[in-house]
Amino acid sequence: MGGHHVVTQDYPENLSNGILVCGINFGYSQEDEYLDAKGHTQAPEASSFFSDKDVNNSRFRTRLLNWLALWEVELATEKGQEGALERSFWQTNWLDTQTRSLTSDGKINNETLVENADGILGLIEQRRPSVILFLGSDLIEALNDIRLRERVVSILGPRPDKATVLRTQASEKGKSFQVVVQSFGDTSIVSLPHPQAIGLTNEQIASVQLPEEILRKLKAR
C-alpha cells in the first residue's frame, strides 16, 4: 500500500464496505506553489468525514455532493450531523501526487495510471469498497487495462460483463458526456466525468438514471 494518502477520517463504516471517491491526483494551486517557494508550506487540514464543509469545501467535493443529491443521495455537511452514510464515504486519488493540472508535470495518461496503480489497488484491497466513484473517465479505463486485470479480479472478484455506457442528455451546443457503470464481484463502479469538465451541467448529470442496485448501495447504511 505504501502509505497512499487518504484525506478522509477513518471510521468503521469506511474501513470496510464503504464508498470510495477517487479522483486522478491531488490539486496544487498557484497559491500553494507560491507558499512552497517562500518556505511557507501549509499544514494539511485535519481529517473529517467526506462531506464536512468546514474541512473539505473544495469545488470537487461540492459538485459531487450536488450530483449525488440529484440521485436523492443527500449527505450532511455540518459537524455533528454526520451518520453512518456520511461516515461510509472516503476520498483518495489514483495517483499520490500533487500537480497544478493534469499536464503540468508531464501528461497523465493511461500508461501513467497503470504504471502507478499499486497504491490505489492496495487501498482497495484493504478496504474493499461496495461502491467506487471514479471522477475522470481515464480511471475506469486503467482499471480495465489487461495489465491490471488479474490483480483487480483477485482483489474484487470476477468481472461478469463489460461496462455499460450511459450518456447524458445533450447540452444546448449538442455535447453530451458519458457515465460508465460496471461491477467486479460485489463492488459497483460508477465512472463520472471530472467535476471540472468544460460545459458539463448538473441538469445533464440528472438526466442519467443509475441502476437501482447502485442507488441502493449509495443510500442504505
Side-chain angles (χ1 to χ4, degrees):
M1 196 165 43
H4 201 82
H5 189 46
V6 175
V7 299
T8 317
Q9 184 173 330
D10 290 348
Y11 298 99
E13 293 88 349
N14 65 28
L15 289 176
S16 178
N17 204 41
I19 300 168
L20 165 59
V21 176
C22 183
I24 297 173
N25 74 341
F26 294 90
Y28 191 61
S29 68
Q30 286 182 305
E31 181 181 2
D32 293 332
E33 187 175 53
Y34 174 80
L35 290 172
D36 282 352
K38 295 294 185 181
H40 301 305
T41 303
Q42 293 177 307
E45 294 179 319
S47 296
S48 185
F49 60 97
F50 169 71
S51 53
D52 184 352
K53 69 178 179 61
D54 290 331
V55 172
N56 185 6
N57 200 28
S58 67
R59 184 174 183 269
F60 177 99
R61 181 223 61 140
T62 301
R63 195 149 203 219
L64 179 57
L65 291 187
N66 289 337
W67 293 351
L68 289 169
L70 295 172
W71 293 312
E72 299 181 344
V73 182
E74 301 277 358
L75 297 180
T77 60
E78 300 283 348
K79 193 77 171 178
Q81 295 181 353
E82 72 274 16
L85 178 60
E86 287 77 17
R87 293 191 296 266
S88 69
F89 279 76
W90 58 286
Q91 180 184 0
T92 188
N93 290 301
W94 186 289
L95 299 176
D96 204 14
T97 59
Q98 187 178 39
T99 55
R100 188 188 300 172
S101 72
L102 298 186
T103 57
S104 60
D105 274 358
K107 186 171 178 57
I108 295 175
N109 54 23
N110 188 70
E111 288 298 314
T112 307
L113 296 171
V114 171
E115 290 173 4
N116 295 276
D118 281 349
I120 186 61
L121 292 183
L123 272 177
I124 290 172
E125 183 173 19
Q126 182 190 42
R127 299 197 180 201
R128 299 186 184 277
S130 64
V131 179
I132 297 174
L133 300 176
F134 281 142
L135 282 299
S137 60
D138 291 343
L139 301 179
I140 198 165
E141 293 180 14
L143 191 77
N144 281 285
D145 191 284
I146 192 64
R147 291 167 290 181
L148 299 182
R149 180 79 53 77
E150 184 176 350
R151 185 174 179 190
V152 172
V153 168
S154 72
I155 293 171
L156 294 177
R159 185 181 74 167
D161 207 345
K162 292 184 178 181
T164 299
V165 178
L166 310 172
R167 297 208 68 88
T168 70
Q169 66 184 20
S171 67
E172 292 181 358
K173 296 183 178 180
K175 185 173 183 179
S176 66
F177 296 82
Q178 69 177 27
V179 173
V180 180
V181 295
Q182 190 175 20
S183 64
F184 280 88
D186 294 328
T187 299
S188 299
I189 301 167
V190 182
S191 172
L192 294 160
H194 195 277
Q196 294 180 358
I198 297 173
L200 177 63
T201 66
N202 288 345
E203 289 74 19
Q204 286 179 294
I205 292 293
S207 71
V208 174
Q209 181 60 48
L210 293 182
E212 285 299 323
E213 178 186 3
I214 294 177
L215 290 174
R216 176 183 57 78
K217 286 183 176 182
L218 288 171
K219 297 176 183 178
R221 297 287 152 179

